[in-house]
Amino acid sequence: MPYNNNSERNIKALTNPDVVISQVVSDFKLSEDVLRDWKTKIEKYYELYGMVQRKRHYDGLAKIFVPETLRAVETITAKIYQIITGQPDWFQYGGRDGNGDEGPAIAMTELVRYQMGENGFKSKLMDTIRQMVIAGLCVRKILWDYQEVTRRKSGDETFPETVRDTWTMEPVDLLSFHISDINIPYNDLQKAMWIGEQYLVRKNWVSEKIRLGWFSSAMKAELDSTPEASASDASQRRDSANQTSGFSNISKKDKYEIIERWGLCPVEWVLIPEEMQAQNYSEGELIESVIVLGNRKAILKLEVNPFYHGQKPY
């Protein structure tokens, strides 16, 4: 379905937006301090995989790098991928015995196979396994890809048409990943108070999100008044990791730093008093929400978790 965006209303209703911004930035600063040593190790693992040679053992040694790590990772990744997807019926829904739902189970299997073809699931699965082999951990984000275009009938009459409406599995860079508590079991991330990411994007990426209604334009002026993207540890790592893509060569004035936080926040930030009363919330209670900041200065999204399941999409 199209985005049901209450961010514009919520942001305009804030009496002091700096309170929200300060809290989110503080959360991420604490996470970065706790995860710094771990992320330094992750950087090293990726350098080994990418055959980055920081220094030679002594002067005169040839710059020869035997790609043992690369070869081992790709071999193991391919074998695990083949084990999982090697058979045509590598996954399927099953009906419950005697309940007559075998037909719907078959239909669901075919639907999900079609969706996997639409969202490039198998190639993303290969990348997921590769991240797990390199770092010992993989994190993925499950979102919904909805696209709508305007079609023209005869004359000047137009109508909206949905051209894409499916789930998608997005990669999460471990260097940009944040979590409220590192003691949360990694197989049960929903127990975390919040989960988030911190990354750099092009300015037109934010403009497109605003056009689609995912981000609010209420504080766009504040965002544009920022001279350049913040140079946080996470942003620098992300920029460094994109050396080969050319992203790092883009002017800082052409980038935004995005902080995206999914998790619990005070209910009065995202619901108006009438909604709080209707849902039996009191001020100070917490509710699953999503907050997105741009350059630590502008709130781009501030609303209740928009997904039907109400969980963090990780």
Side-chain angles (χ1 to χ4, degrees), residues 12-24:
K12 290 178 179 178
L14 289 173
T15 55
N16 189 357
D18 288 342
V19 171
V20 177
I21 295 171
S22 176
Q23 181 60 58
V24 173

Side-chain angles (χ1 to χ4, degrees), residues 233-270:
D233 289 349
S235 299
Q236 290 176 346
R237 286 199 192 96
R238 180 74 182 209
D239 215 8
S240 176
N242 281 280
Q243 291 285 347
T244 57
S245 68
F247 186 81
S248 60
N249 296 324
I250 301 171
S251 167
K252 286 186 177 180
K253 294 182 179 181
D254 231 8
K255 303 174 188 173
Y256 288 139
E257 181 201 45
I258 298 297
I259 292 179
E260 181 177 348
R261 179 191 185 278
W262 292 81
L264 297 172
C265 82
V267 67
E268 60 269 20
W269 289 1
V270 291

Side-chain angles (χ1 to χ4, degrees), residues 63-124:
K63 290 186 177 180
I64 298 174
F65 195 103
V66 180
E68 290 296 338
T69 305
L70 171 65
R71 184 167 61 185
V73 167
E74 290 305 312
T75 299
I76 296 170
T77 298
K79 288 185 178 298
I80 295 175
Y81 178 83
Q82 182 62 25
I83 290 171
I84 295 173
T85 66
Q87 300 298 322
D89 57 348
W90 63 279
F91 92 93
Q92 63 181 13
Y93 286 87
R96 294 181 178 177
D97 294 337
N99 287 339
D101 52 2
E102 291 80 5
I106 294 172
M108 282 296 298
T109 301
E110 292 304 315
L111 171 63
V112 173
R113 283 178 178 165
Y114 173 79
Q115 291 173 326
M116 286 179 171
E118 286 286 292
N119 62 30
F121 176 81
K122 284 195 172 183
S123 62
K124 292 178 180 179

Side-chain angles (χ1 to χ4, degrees), residues 204-215:
N204 60 358
W205 182 88
V206 172
S207 298
E208 179 65 9
K209 294 290 186 183
I210 291 175
R211 186 188 70 81
L212 293 174
W214 183 248
F215 286 166

Side-chain angles (χ1 to χ4, degrees), residues 215-227:
F215 286 166
S216 164
S217 61
M219 298 187 74
K220 186 68 161 55
E222 285 86 342
L223 182 62
D224 288 336
S225 69
T226 309

Side-chain angles (χ1 to χ4, degrees), residues 151-163:
R151 301 292 190 193
R152 185 177 298 278
K153 293 182 179 179
S154 58
D156 293 331
E157 187 178 0
T158 61
F159 66 97
E161 180 180 340
T162 301
V163 295

